[in-house]
């Protein structure tokens, strides 16, 4: 067992018989969320921390499965006994979002009306939908308010949305490598990824399940493209540069440069397991996220009702959601005189930095979380 | 006829019976280049300017065709009587590169050995190959040395290569919005575009011609992605932002944001006419371009033999080939004590700025070209 690991964990199911009507106007008659918990909920039920995942994340955030010891949670470097998010103090909850493909109700789940996978009929979900579903899970766990809601990227957007939609239920929000809304360029990258999937002949309009195929070509391209935006230009230059593969032929279209090998490997790996419809839904939730929109574009007004204290973290080389985007959030919070700490971490790792075990970054999170009362 | 237009022009064919052996080791037994000329070659044959095209460009650089008056050359704003590249003084030559799809020998041309289109068998071409082929055209036109070789982006790389490969034949090189070599990130974007094309089921390993189909899905994605890198983030934000299409539905995957509409339109338009194999070849020529490679990575050494004078131009918001990349070229020239002027143009238009009719940019080009002796 790795040092300070939370150790073996078990995925759980929260089954909700109460229907939920989503922003898209569609009602899911019954639904469920896959989740995990680490640490112990205290008697006052006041030490719970919610971890929100990003585009391709899920509820398996820390620890490992006994029957799959190499399947370690995606934020395991952050969460565990003695780690920055210390499970000796906190009761940590990881959850797979609605629309996901890791056990929560999503496009590959059976639609009770037809007995077949939802496929293209699964409704578009929004960040606010996720917050409402996560709140139902909190109810079921007896958690009235979260000590903290924590997330990076799309997960940070959920943390922010929690403070707006359910202000009394969040005491601290840790909004990491996020943005208050996507730019046209962000949306453009998402749309290319979506078009890659949708125009893959094996997508079958989203109903590929019944054809027993998967749009792996499109998913692979989407992931390759995504990876370019997750890394920094400098890091790519340092890690790959113009290096050739030792075995590479030349004057052809096989793998030749190391960067091609890396991207194609990442694309193939991802295409092998991720659900194409979930990918579409997650990117659309990103595109729609814009809490200021209902307030004439004014983010400060949108955040006026928030009651949480905030830690906003950005990374210098993140060009997907640059520090300038995080500062928009900080400025809107400051305008409201909300308590906010802001940390801009010098990191070469681009957007992916939020997942990395960076000493300074983890020190900042640990210091902030040490002052979060349980 | 638009003011100061060169007017109606005619495309010409240069047929070369002499075989050319390319860097890839393949010999084209006979080959041809489509080209156009504007203005008049003077008696001393000393006023010729070569225009090199970028990824999707061609030989139709200025003027229009009598039978297609709306088909105006891609750099018409620059070239014509009284324009910065003044056809009252200069004899301007536009050429479609080997491997192209606008009349020069390329993948859709017939392979004399089989009587069928070359398709996947057409060799990868390099920037140096193009320079050699263009030199044969110069020979045929009786042009011993170019007053100037001019190009933007991949065209700028050709101008640079001319000064290295045939230093006695170039008196001035105008290297615009270029770079001395691609970064890992540049190659990564190219590889995603190539993989989109190659994995399109209608690509048929490059031999789609004989199947009477075209890999339009892949080409469309490649072009959508390309467009993101041609524009600046700021310009996209200003032009499209998060604006919705008036007719857009919501909570679906149709066109909803204006930026989606723009990208898909550009992708569809391009996929309707461009040759997929040519797209692959052009991106590969970009990836391979690295004149410093043969000199231990030292660009100054690579440029030591150059005899031309240089104008290097970059645009502030170009993130495909940023001003820092142009300054690498400038520094290598300065190290050699070559004559070089450098202009960094403030423009919101990103990489595409080199094609735009920007007053300050055109003033810089006009001022430089006025001092080019004919």
């Amino acid at each position: 067992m790795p040092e300070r690991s939370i150790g073996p964990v078990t995925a759980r199911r929260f089954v909700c018989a109460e229907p939920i009507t989503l922003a898209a106007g569609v009602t899911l008659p019954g639904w469920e969320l896959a989740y995990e918990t680490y640490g112990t909920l205290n008697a006052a039920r006041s030490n719970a921390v919610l971890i929100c995942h990003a585009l391709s994340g899920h509820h398996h955030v820390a620890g490992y499965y006994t029957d799959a010891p190499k399947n370690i949670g995606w934020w395991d470097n952050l969460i565990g006994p003695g780690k920055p998010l210390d499970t000796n103090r906190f009761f940590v909850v990881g959850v797979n979002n609605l629309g996901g493909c890791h056990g929560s109700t999503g496009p590959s789940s059976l639609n009770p009306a037809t007995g077949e996978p939802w496929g293209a009929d699964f409704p578009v979900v929004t960040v606010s939908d996720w917050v409402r579903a996560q709140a139902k899970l909190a109810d079921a766990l007896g958690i009235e308010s979260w000590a903290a809601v924590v997330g990076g990227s799309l997960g940070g957007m959920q943390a922010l949305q929690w403070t707006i939609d359910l202000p009394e239920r969040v005491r601290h929000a840790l909004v990491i490598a996020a943005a208050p809304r996507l730019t046209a360029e962000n949306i453009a990258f998402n749309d290319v990824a979506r078009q890659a999937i949708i125009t893959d002949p094996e997508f079958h309009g989203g109903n590929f399940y019944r054809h027993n195929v998967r749009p792996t070509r499109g998913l692979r391209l989407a992931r390759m493209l995504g990876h370019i935006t997750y890394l920094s230009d400098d890091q790519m230059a340092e890690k790959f540069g113009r290096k050739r593969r030792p075995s590479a032929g030349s004057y052809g279209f096989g793998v030749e440069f190391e960067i091609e090998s890396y991207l194609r490997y990442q694309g193939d790996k991802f295409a092998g397991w991720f659900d194409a419809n979930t990918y579409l839904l997650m990117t659309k939730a990103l595109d729609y996220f814009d809490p200021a929109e209902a307030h004439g574009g004014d983010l400060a007004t949108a955040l006026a009702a928030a009651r949480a204290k905030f830690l906003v973290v950005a990374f210098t080389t993140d060009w997907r959601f640059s520090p300038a985007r995080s500062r928009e959030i900080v400025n809107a919070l400051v305008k409201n005189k909300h308590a906010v700490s802001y940390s801009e971490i010098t990191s070469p790792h681009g957007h992916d930095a939020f997942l990395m075990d960076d000493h300074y970054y983890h020190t900042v999170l640990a210091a902030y979380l040490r002052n979060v009362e349980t």
Side-chain angles (χ1 to χ4, degrees), chain A:
Chain A
M1 182 157 74
E3 203 193 352
R4 303 195 304 166
S5 167
I6 188 72
V9 299
T10 308
R12 296 169 197 282
R13 289 169 63 197
F14 162 58
V15 180
C16 189
E18 195 185 322
I20 187 169
T21 300
L22 304 170
V26 178
T27 299
L28 301 179
W31 48 281
E32 60 184 82
L33 297 180
Y35 72 100
E36 292 182 6
T37 71
Y38 323 117
T40 309
L41 189 60
N42 64 12
R45 298 178 177 272
S46 62
N47 68 334
V49 173
L50 175 67
I51 307 293
C52 301
H53 69 74
L55 205 154
S56 60
H58 43 68
H59 55 288
H60 183 37
V61 185
Y64 59 87
Y65 298 135
T66 307
D67 61 352
K70 286 186 179 166
N71 187 351
I72 294 168
W74 55 268
W75 226 350
D76 187 80
N77 60 32
L78 188 72
I79 298 163
K83 289 186 182 177
L85 187 36
D86 190 345
T87 46
N88 291 329
R89 288 187 65 218
F90 293 109
F91 175 68
V92 179
V93 179
V95 62
N96 184 217
N97 283 331
L98 273 183
C101 55
H102 291 85
S104 293
T105 302
S108 58
S109 307
L110 294 188
N111 178 351
T114 64
E116 287 201 49
W118 279 93
D121 292 333
F122 196 86
V124 165
V125 280
T126 67
V127 171
S128 276
D129 288 333
W130 289 336
V131 168
R132 281 194 304 133
Q134 290 159 358
K136 293 288 178 193
L137 171 61
D139 293 344
L141 295 172
I143 297 162
E144 204 167 298
S145 90
W146 299 102
V149 178
V150 183
S153 192
L154 177 55
M157 293 167 172
Q158 292 164 62
L160 199 64
Q161 193 73 52
W162 260 97
T163 72
I164 293 169
D165 292 351
L166 297 166
E168 308 297 340
R169 301 190 71 171
V170 196
R171 303 203 299 281
H172 292 269
L174 280 70
V175 180
I176 303 169
R181 70 181 74 82
L182 297 203
T183 61
E185 189 183 90
N186 294 146
I187 296 172
F189 278 120
N190 279 347
D191 197 48
V192 176
R194 282 192 295 262
Q195 289 298 304
I197 291 169
I198 289 171
T199 63
D200 184 325
E202 301 197 308
F203 181 64
H204 292 289
N207 298 313
F208 49 88
Y209 315 99
R210 70 172 73 134
H211 296 267
N212 238 349
V213 292
R214 301 174 62 251
T216 49
R217 294 183 197 89
L219 260 175
R220 174 176 179 269
L221 291 170
R223 186 62 164 186
M224 289 177 73
L225 179 53
H227 260 279
I228 300 178
T229 70
Y230 303 154
L231 303 181
S232 75
D233 189 14
D234 284 354
Q235 183 194 13
M236 267 200 199
E238 193 180 317
K239 198 169 171 184
F240 306 106
R242 298 179 53 83
K243 282 200 287 276
R244 309 296 213 281
R245 296 279 291 174
S247 59
S250 44
Y251 302 113
F253 297 103
V255 164
E256 183 167 2
F257 291 92
E258 288 282 3
I259 182 66
E260 296 174 320
S261 168
Y262 171 81
L263 282 186
R264 295 186 198 179
Y265 172 78
Q266 295 292 341
D268 285 334
K269 198 172 68 168
F270 187 74
W273 64 272
F274 205 82
D275 181 81
N277 284 311
T278 291
Y279 200 89
L280 298 180
L281 293 175
M282 298 286 153
T283 59
K284 204 70 186 172
L286 273 164
D287 289 3
Y288 279 140
F289 178 73
D290 185 6
E293 193 180 28
H295 303 275
D298 186 47
L299 186 63
T301 309
L303 283 163
R307 291 290 163 268
K309 294 176 177 173
F310 290 82
L311 173 64
V312 178
V313 179
F315 300 92
T316 48
T317 56
D318 184 351
W319 66 279
R320 185 175 173 86
F321 301 139
S322 73
R325 310 306 315 282
S326 282
R327 288 196 296 265
E328 290 176 37
I329 298 171
V330 172
N331 290 338
L333 292 168
V334 167
K335 269 193 192 166
N336 283 300
K337 301 194 194 326
H338 292 330
V340 53
S341 301
Y342 174 58
S343 181
E344 200 168 301
I345 310 279
T346 302
S347 160
H349 296 297
H351 188 61
D352 265 358
F354 86 88
L355 295 166
M356 304 279 173
D357 189 2
D358 175 274
H359 175 71
Y360 185 67
Y361 165 46
H362 275 194
T363 302
V364 165
L365 294 185
Y368 188 90
L369 288 163
R370 214 171 290 129
N371 291 319
V372 169
E373 285 177 20
T374 54

